[in-house]
Amino acid sequence: KVRFRGFDESWRTEKLKNIGESFSGLSGKKSSDFGHGEAKYITYLNILNNPIIDTKLTDKIEIDNKQHLVKKGDIFFTISSETPQEVGLSSVLDTNLNECYLNSFSFGYRLKEISMFDNLFNSYNFRSPNFRRKMYILAQGISRYNISKKAVLNETICFPKISEQKQIGKLIKLMNSLLSLQQRKLELEKQLKFFLFQNAIPSKEAVIFKPKIRFREFQDKWKYAKLSEIYNTDCSGGTPSVKNKTFYGGNIPFLTISDLNNKKIYKTQKTLSKKGLENSSAKLVPAGSISLAMYASVGKIGILSKEMATSQAFFNMTFDDDEKRDFIYIILEKANFDKEWIRLISTGTQNNLNAKKIRNFHIVFPTYKALKGLNKLFCNIDTDIDIQYKVIVTTNQLKQFLLQNLFI
């Protein structure tokens, strides 16, 4: 559907058995044969995880002249897996390796006319959505899925002339490089945030509450306080009986643990009816409150963008000042990162916090002016992280569009 300008010739369609030959992986080996030796072999996971073989991720084995040596341009397929999605996954060897074999749980495929094909193109073509659908259909099994080498060779593959293959291969490689760079940028943004957690907020164990790094104009000492001394009011919630369907599906957002994915919570997966709210211990929590998970995913937090009801799994805090609220969000986020809740958890059928422990949770608190400066700093970092996430999602969507439309 999408092509480079200047290429209008039809793609060739061939059965794999007509343009190449298969070969088997290692055979007749014992567990003691692996992990040492002058030869190496390409592992199953290397094929599973990489469209192009990572030559650094090979394992050692003794030289065995009875085994089939791999060479540049070979395409490897996984034979067996616990899920049909992982059966028939391919990987291309883009460089020659000395004394290298293939693992026992995969088979190799060697093209007869290698000059007709570009390795980069093949690495994406054999993993394109259209070809993967064919492999998915061929997967057989119940608890474990297998694929027949003969069945794979009977499948067809479409390909253009080599010049167009090279253009497509370069484009997808560029997209992958861009994604890697964007992912690296995201990791650096997160590392900066974690660095500031440790250095811009003083330790509660310190003799003098003074950050390791701070704004020049803010030199005042921080104070020690209980969390309950900072927020205005608190409450928990409840869950209406799930047996009564009239309690659900109304216009009242109902917060559950699965909704805590971002700083601001704009919508919930479940809603309550007015009847459900009135016939349970669920309470309406004001917009702008912080909700902290006490059960299951202990320590996860979010800020309600609008009035919501919550389950009993949450400890909800209201504030009379948005700046204080935003700083407490940073402190609670840091506490979760530092795993401070772990030592406060009550163990049972599941790990839980309780309201008393949260109210008595000690924090360090700066002057109001310093607090506003830190809020702005962390807000800017969070904004950059959110933007980076969106860039990665958009780039991935573009890549998937290309994979869907550049291949037949």
Side-chain angles (χ1 to χ4, degrees):
K1 295 179 183 178
V2 175
R3 300 189 78 173
F4 288 95
R5 189 175 299 169
F7 297 109
D8 52 12
E9 295 180 23
S10 297
W11 287 30
R12 283 179 59 181
T13 301
E14 297 282 356
K15 283 194 173 185
L16 292 178
K17 65 181 181 181
N18 295 334
I19 57 173
E21 298 174 339
S22 67
F23 59 90
S24 300
L26 290 165
S27 61
K29 294 296 178 183
K30 306 186 296 292
S31 58
S32 59
D33 294 327
F34 296 90
H36 55 85
E38 297 300 316
K40 47 187 171 282
Y41 70 96
I42 293 167
T43 65
Y44 178 92
L45 286 177
N46 201 337
I47 298 168
L48 186 71
N49 297 327
N50 302 297
I52 294 179
I53 291 297
D54 187 338
T55 55
K56 297 177 183 177
L57 300 179
T58 56
D59 283 355
K60 291 183 177 181
I61 196 168
E62 296 289 351
I63 292 175
D64 184 349
N65 294 327
K66 296 178 182 178
Q67 306 298 330
H68 200 109
L69 291 170
V70 300
K71 68 179 187 179
K72 183 178 180 178
D74 285 349
I75 304 166
F76 312 118
F77 293 89
T78 57
I79 295 174
S80 179
S81 179
E82 293 177 355
T83 65
Q85 290 85 357
E86 293 180 349
V87 173
L89 271 173
S90 63
S91 186
V92 175
L93 182 60
D94 194 34
T95 186
N96 280 312
L97 296 174
N98 294 326
E99 299 295 337
C100 186
Y101 313 120
L102 178 62
N103 73 84
S104 307
F105 304 101
S106 306
F107 75 87
Y109 177 73
R110 184 166 294 164
L111 292 158
K112 295 175 182 176
E113 297 291 337
I114 192 66
S115 61
M116 292 173 56
F117 295 90
D118 177 70
N119 287 336
L120 269 177
F121 173 82
N122 280 344
S123 70
Y124 303 124
N125 196 19
F126 282 92
R127 285 202 176 210
S128 67
N130 293 331
F131 191 79
R132 288 299 308 145
R133 276 192 288 271
K134 296 177 182 179
M135 297 299 101
Y136 184 85
I137 292 171
L138 293 179
Q140 301 293 320
I142 300 175
S143 60
R144 188 163 188 88
Y145 294 84
N146 298 283
I147 199 166
S148 161
K149 180 165 57 175
K150 183 178 179 181
V152 174
L153 294 178
N154 272 320
E155 287 296 337
T156 59
I157 192 75
C158 298
F159 56 94
K161 61 183 182 180
I162 187 69
S163 54
E164 188 172 1
Q165 288 182 40
K166 288 181 180 294
Q167 291 282 63
I168 293 172
K170 285 179 182 177
L171 177 60
I172 303 298
K173 183 180 180 181
L174 179 64
M175 294 299 300
N176 286 336
S177 297
L178 181 59
L179 277 169
S180 295
L181 287 171
Q182 297 294 355
Q183 193 65 47
R184 177 60 180 155
K185 185 178 178 182
L186 175 62
E187 292 305 314
L188 289 173
E189 294 278 5
K190 288 181 178 179
Q191 288 175 24
L192 174 60
K193 183 175 181 178
F194 298 149
F195 172 82
L196 290 172
F197 273 161
Q198 302 303 324
N199 293 279
I201 299 172
S203 168
K204 291 188 290 184
E205 282 72 39
V207 176
I208 300 175
F209 301 129
K210 183 178 179 180
K212 295 177 182 177
I213 58 173
R214 65 196 314 186
F215 295 107
R216 185 176 299 172
E217 63 269 30
F218 304 134
Q219 298 299 319
D220 295 331
K221 293 180 182 179
W222 292 40
K223 67 179 182 178
Y224 201 54
K226 289 182 180 180
L227 183 58
S228 58
E229 295 171 357
I230 308 300
Y231 63 76
N232 196 19
T233 62
D234 65 59
C235 67
S236 185
T239 302
S241 172
V242 294
K243 295 179 181 179
N244 192 327
K245 294 183 179 180
T246 63
F247 288 172
Y248 291 86
N251 297 320
I252 301 170
F254 183 57
L255 186 71
T256 59
I257 296 293
S258 59
D259 298 314
L260 291 180
N261 298 313
N262 298 293
K263 180 177 179 178
K264 287 285 184 77
I265 303 164
Y266 294 97
K267 61 181 180 179
T268 59
Q269 295 178 19
K270 295 181 180 180
T271 58
L272 301 182
S273 64
K274 186 178 179 181
K275 187 177 179 181
L277 182 68
E278 293 171 346
N279 287 273
S280 71
S281 55
K283 298 179 181 65
L284 286 176
V285 182
S289 300
I290 291 179
S291 290
L292 184 149
M294 296 191 290
Y295 306 161
S297 301
V298 173
K300 289 189 73 174
I301 52 174
I303 298 175
L304 307 186
S305 65
K306 56 187 174 183
E307 188 178 59
M308 297 181 184
T310 75
S311 73
Q312 64 274 22
F314 292 99
F315 183 84
N316 306 301
M317 295 163 273
T318 66
F319 294 81
D320 54 13
D321 186 296
D322 288 351
E323 293 287 355
K324 286 183 179 179
R325 178 205 62 200
D326 290 346
F327 183 76
I328 291 302
Y329 182 91
I330 294 168
I331 292 294
L332 295 178
E333 194 177 24
K334 180 181 185 298
N336 199 28
F337 173 75
D338 291 339
K339 298 180 170 49
E340 289 190 59
W341 300 117
I342 290 177
R343 62 176 178 267
L344 300 178
I345 283 172
S346 303
T347 57
T349 53
Q350 62 176 342
N351 295 335
N352 298 332
L353 279 174
N354 60 51
K356 183 179 179 181
K357 290 179 179 178
I358 297 173
R359 293 185 186 110
N360 291 327
F361 183 70
H362 284 93
I363 64 171
V364 286
F365 204 73
T367 63
Y368 191 76
K369 191 174 181 181
L371 174 152
K372 290 176 69 175
L374 285 167
N375 283 348
K376 185 175 181 180
L377 174 62
F378 277 96
C379 180
N380 288 339
I381 293 172
D382 284 337
T383 299
D384 288 344
I385 289 173
D386 288 342
I387 290 171
Q388 203 55 39
Y389 269 120
K390 290 174 183 176
V391 168
I392 291 171
V393 169
T394 303
T395 307
N396 255 319
Q397 289 173 342
L398 176 57
K399 179 186 172 182
Q400 292 308 311
F401 171 82
L402 292 172
L403 288 173
Q404 289 278 4
N405 294 279
L406 278 172
F407 299 91
I408 297 177

